[in-house]
Amino acid sequence: MAFDIEMIKQVYAKYPERIAAARKAVGKPLTLSEKILYAHLWENPNTQVFERGKSYVDFAPDRVAMQDATAQMALLQFMQAGRKTVAVPSTAHADHLIQAKVGADKDLQDSLNKNDEVFNFLSSVCNKYGIGFWKPGAGIIHQVVLENYAFPGGMMIGTDSHTVNAGGLGMVAIGVGGADAVDVMAGMAWELKFPKLIGVKLTGKLNGWTAPKDVILKVAGILTVEGGTGAIVEYFGPGAESLSCTGKGTICNMGAEIGATTSTFGYDDSMRRYLKATDRADVVALADTVAEHLTGDPEVYADPKKYFDQVIEIDLTTLMPHVNGPFTPDLATPINELAEKAKANGWPLKVEWGLIGSCTNSSYEDLARAASIAKQAVDKGLIAKAEFGINPGSEQVRYTAHRDGLLNIFENLNTKIFTNACGPCIGQWDRAGAEKGEKNTIIHSFNRNFSKRADGNPNTHAFVASPEIVAALAIAGDLGFNPLTDTLTNSKGEQVKFNPPTGDELPAKGFAVEDNGYQAPAADGSTVNVHVKAGSDRLQLLDAFPAWDGKNVMGAKLLIKVKGKCTTDHISMAGPWLKYRGHLDNISNNMLIGAVNAFGGATNKVKNQVTGEFGEVPATARAYKKAGIASVVVGDQNYGEGSSREHAAMEPRHLGVLAVIVKSFARIHETNLKKQGMLGLTFSNEADWDKIQEDDTLNFIDLESFAPGKQLTLRLDHKDGKSEEIKLNHTYNQQQVDWFKAGSALNLIKMQFA
């Protein structure tokens, strides 16, 4: 039986009336995305029509999911909200703080030894406030959510950018910052700019070596890392219905890499099969009563260009396996072009590691198809030339795969089976030799391949592919190997060729597990004490950010002018810094240390305008703050791309940064800045980025009149005595302006529960 079945009943009971009202208001057939959005409006039934890409809308999500790295700060904030329990079903999942090194058992025990304080905090705060807790080793948040909580037509937010994975079960699931999660857990409306809609029509059927992963690798190549920004990607067509549910999840998961708000699929038989296989036949029975509302209207899919802002069509039958990278997930290359492209670009051809898993590709089907390649290698007398590692998606997947002999197949190739956790995908990988910084190639089935992300080595060329392609190229040890056409030499000197991969969509004997790692919260948490040790360097109770004094800000100093790509990894690195995710002051020592300074081209080296000396970014920010001087960060295009981590916004706020001014923002990061009471601004004229000089003093001369739809004016006082004014745009509505005035969104929430 499903978790929170009564909540699901209530959601579906409201669907017919709310969809009817939405269709009447809009006056046209509805996409699936619109149905879910309108059905989850904070105020229903609705008579208003919202403008895509412009209207800010209040929603009422059904549930919240948090992973341990982001849950710490989210729950520290929630503790200030004044509530006795969460307002909607919520869960926290311990999956990010487990480092991959030796193997599952030892790595898990090492994590428990190192992170016991954090896990105890999460366990106790979840127990107190009615939150389900999935213990270390239980699995990766998004796989666990798909197996237990996702349901067609639902709306969920999660404090991780890959929350979108639940779109594989027909949800609108969106990655947010912890402050957004606090809003929803506190019973408040959650605000989102009404998304644009991108339709992807899938025809044909996958065959041979092509996998669901190749769909999103192809889409990423078409749309780039920015092309989905502010939009929901809705997949439809006969090809969509032919995909497995977990395959749909893979596609939705990596939609985060094109900047999409989320991605989703309509309810179909693959979802029914998956729900039943994961002991949720009760959800199927409920969903079937409103099935017509859990997919787009027929008229929409018959003439999609009338209803979507953009339409892409992909024929699955002719789709080639792709390998994307290095250093960016949208550099898409069909497998038959990879060898030539690698040689032309000087990418190392020797593959040193193959990694399968992460929240993107760690389902039973993924492991089964990759295992079929591994088994062929053993049977054909091949020895893997690259090292191999696997992170199963959940204890249920791991236990079932072990029972069915899949893990044993990999172990015959000397594969390291890591813990059911994120591991190398998020930089939690103690890779031997990475500290040498040598140029090398790895291939993985993860979602992101930014520089240094997996192993901390900026010279590691990471390529993204399906699990079966990862297996084949790891066995070959050659990035230029094409398993569709090429042969390998076995131990007898014979030329052997792989057959296309095979694997069951779902385990023939059903899923099984002895202990799934779930901890239910106390029925009454009023007497539960939350564990935060005095003087801890891992956890720190929060103080409220100060409110704006209502005056123009004059005399601010430029902290750093960032040149080029600046993801949340550059702003707030993961890896070894994960240990400080619950301690704002300590983790702030990593603020922007990975960003490239436009003046001089160095990282973590900026000029202190008060002393004239050069120092680290966090130390310089602290010096300005101590002196009572506001500071400003200037950035480039798509600033804040990547993970949803709110630390990338909380750290500059904590260290006295008033404003972040960029050419363009990634959606989640812009929202996070607003939530923390900062100014997230864009150049009205992008060319004005060039006017910002290293020794400038920045003056916000009309901040006193800060209001929705009104530009702000920034006066630049240059060192040579000259001044000039530039115009800055913003997307703040009145509620967001109020967040700024109050000092943060959380400050406003506390006022309401005071």
Side-chain angles (χ1 to χ4, degrees), residues 6 95 311 408 414 592:
E6 292 303 317
D95 63 354
V311 176
N408 185 59
N414 296 317
L592 285 161

Side-chain angles (χ1 to χ4, degrees), residues 171 202 305 523 648:
M171 294 194 87
L202 302 179
K305 291 184 179 179

Side-chain angles (χ1 to χ4, degrees), residues 53-59 176 179-180 183 189-194 546-548 653 658 665-681 703 705-710 712 729-749 752:
K54 292 189 177 180
S55 300
Y56 280 93
V57 184
D58 285 340
F59 292 100
V176 299
D180 281 7
D183 285 356
W190 173 63
E191 185 186 68
L192 177 74
K193 186 185 290 185
F194 203 88
W548 175 49
R653 180 71 167 103
L658 166 73
F665 280 109
R667 177 189 64 83
I668 297 176
H669 187 64
E670 181 182 19
T671 300
N672 287 347
L673 291 172
K674 294 177 179 180
K675 287 278 183 178
Q676 301 304 334
M678 295 181 67
L679 294 172
L681 309 170
L703 189 57
S705 59
F706 184 34
K710 184 177 181 181
L712 289 175
N729 296 334
H730 66 83
T731 60
Y732 287 70
N733 59 24
Q734 188 56 54
Q735 177 176 262
Q736 294 167 343
V737 171
D738 291 341
W739 295 343
F740 173 75
K741 291 180 177 179
S744 72
L746 182 59
N747 287 356
L748 279 184
I749 292 176
Q752 297 182 40

Side-chain angles (χ1 to χ4, degrees), residues 380 382 486-490 492-498:
K380 294 174 186 288
L382 296 170
D486 298 348
T487 61
L488 295 172
T489 305
N490 70 6
K492 297 179 182 179
E494 302 166 335
Q495 294 299 300
V496 297
K497 187 174 182 293
F498 287 120

Side-chain angles (χ1 to χ4, degrees), residues 370-382:
S372 75
I373 302 303
K375 187 175 188 305
Q376 288 185 58
V378 174
D379 293 346
K380 294 174 186 288
L382 296 170

Side-chain angles (χ1 to χ4, degrees), residues 100 103-104 107 140 353-358 361-363 366-368 370-371 374 387-393 397-398 401 406-411 413-424 445-446 467 470-471:
D107 292 347
I140 305 171
W353 267 91
L355 296 157
I356 294 172
S358 90
N361 280 107
S362 54
S363 68
D366 290 325
L367 294 183
E387 294 191 73
F388 225 144
I390 291 178
N391 285 84
V397 166
R398 187 211 65 80
L406 299 182
L407 298 187
N408 185 59
I409 293 171
F410 288 112
E411 288 168 340
L413 281 176
N414 296 317
T415 300
K416 288 185 178 179
I417 309 298
F418 296 127
T419 314
N420 313 319
C422 301
S445 68
F446 307 159
V470 170

Side-chain angles (χ1 to χ4, degrees), residues 39-210:
H40 285 84
L41 294 174
W42 183 253
E43 295 185 2
N44 251 303
N46 171 68
T47 57
Q48 187 177 352
V49 179
F50 299 106
E51 189 173 356
R52 297 177 191 170
K54 292 189 177 180
S55 300
Y56 280 93
V57 184
D58 285 340
F59 292 100
D62 301 313
R63 65 177 313 110
V64 172
M66 299 164 280
Q67 40 94 335
D68 51 354
T70 52
Q72 295 172 64
M73 196 57 68
L75 293 174
L76 284 165
Q77 291 178 88
F78 179 77
M79 289 170 65
Q80 298 187 62
R83 286 192 63 102
K84 293 182 179 180
T85 187
V86 289
V88 302
S90 303
T91 54
H93 304 252
D95 63 354
H96 274 55
L97 297 178
I98 304 169
Q99 190 173 49
K101 182 178 181 180
V102 177
D105 292 341
K106 188 176 188 308
D107 292 347
L108 178 57
Q109 187 57 54
D110 284 349
S111 176
L112 292 172
N113 294 341
K114 294 176 182 176
N115 302 299
D116 185 58
E117 176 185 355
V118 172
F119 295 145
N120 284 339
F121 164 71
L122 292 173
S123 175
S124 63
V125 74
C126 288
N127 202 25
K128 183 175 183 65
Y129 293 108
I131 300 167
F133 180 54
W134 291 80
K135 294 179 285 188
I140 305 171
I141 174 173
H142 309 305
Q143 179 67 27
V144 173
V145 165
L146 199 71
E147 290 177 1
N148 295 277
Y149 298 111
F151 65 98
M155 174 182 275
M156 178 178 73
I157 62 168
T159 60
D160 187 281
S161 55
H162 294 103
T163 299
V164 294
N165 187 82
L169 255 175
M171 294 194 87
V172 161
I174 301 174
V176 299
D180 281 7
V182 172
D183 285 356
V184 177
M185 290 190 293
M188 310 291 287
W190 173 63
E191 185 186 68
L192 177 74
K193 186 185 290 185
F194 203 88
K196 295 182 178 180
L197 300 177
I198 297 174
V200 179
K201 182 178 181 180
L202 302 179
T203 60
K205 191 173 183 179
L206 295 174
N207 62 87
W209 282 86
T210 311

